[in-house]
Amino acid sequence: MKALITSIISLGLVIGAWVCYYGYSTDTLEDMTRSCEEKVLTAIKDNDWKTAKKEFEADYKKWHKYRKTALYFLDTGDVNDTDSAFARALEYIDEEDASNGRGEVLSLKEQLTALKENEQISVRNIF
């Protein structure tokens, strides 16, 4: 009976940790995706490089904070790919390269969306 109770408590802790992480992760990824789409891409299209850099650097800081936790729950390859996309996009924004900057930010937006979708409980993710 002790083993059953211990197993139930352990399972509850694992599920509880995942629920907490899922809420945090979904909010963070949606916030970064929205910022890329509404603020950074708009600033790049308008050639407002100061605003684009400021907004993107804020997202980059959020990403580095999020990344520390994400490595425990997500595939390291996906996290590293997203990290590389952030670095490339930041460099394009620093160089004020509009076409590559927009392309890399759009690619990053899709990677953030894919990370969020890979965390969801769905038939596609289970099988």
Side-chain angles (χ1 to χ4, degrees), residues 19-31:
V19 167
C20 291
Y21 173 74
Y22 180 74
Y24 162 73
S25 180
T26 300
D27 292 344
T28 303
L29 292 172
E30 284 178 354
D31 183 48

Side-chain angles (χ1 to χ4, degrees), residues 1-16:
M1 190 60 148
K2 288 182 184 180
L4 177 63
I5 293 172
T6 303
S7 297
I8 291 172
I9 290 171
S10 297
L11 181 62
L13 289 173
V14 168
I15 291 172

Side-chain angles (χ1 to χ4, degrees), residues 13-80:
L13 289 173
V14 168
I15 291 172
W18 177 82
V19 167
C20 291
Y21 173 74
Y22 180 74
Y24 162 73
S25 180
T26 300
D27 292 344
T28 303
L29 292 172
E30 284 178 354
D31 183 48
M32 284 189 282
T33 302
R34 193 176 319 105
S35 176
C36 282
E37 188 171 3
E38 295 173 1
K39 296 176 182 174
V40 178
L41 284 173
T42 303
I44 291 173
K45 287 178 187 175
D46 295 340
N47 284 322
D48 184 359
W49 296 104
K50 186 177 179 181
T51 301
K53 184 173 181 178
K54 182 181 126 200
E55 294 296 336
F56 194 76
E57 284 178 341
D59 287 339
Y60 201 33
K61 286 179 184 177
K62 287 180 202 173
W63 168 254
H64 275 283
K65 182 180 176 191
Y66 170 79
R67 184 183 192 278
K68 293 174 186 175
T69 308
L71 288 171
Y72 291 109
F73 294 93
L74 301 175
D75 180 40
T76 305
D78 293 340
V79 173
N80 289 340

Side-chain angles (χ1 to χ4, degrees), residues 40-41 44 49 88-89 92-93 97-106:
V40 178
L41 284 173
I44 291 173
W49 296 104
R88 283 190 307 271
Y92 288 135
I93 291 170
D97 185 344
S99 63
N100 286 326
R102 276 194 315 265
E104 199 60 49
V105 171
L106 283 170

Side-chain angles (χ1 to χ4, degrees), residues 85-126:
F86 262 107
R88 283 190 307 271
L90 183 59
E91 187 60 31
Y92 288 135
I93 291 170
D94 281 343
E95 295 296 321
E96 298 182 4
D97 185 344
S99 63
N100 286 326
R102 276 194 315 265
E104 199 60 49
V105 171
L106 283 170
S107 171
L108 175 62
K109 188 183 113 183
E110 291 303 316
Q111 285 180 324
L112 293 171
T113 301
L115 284 176
K116 188 182 92 168
E117 288 173 356
N118 286 341
E119 296 170 16
Q120 295 173 343
I121 294 179
S122 67
V123 174
R124 189 184 105 217
N125 289 339
I126 294 172

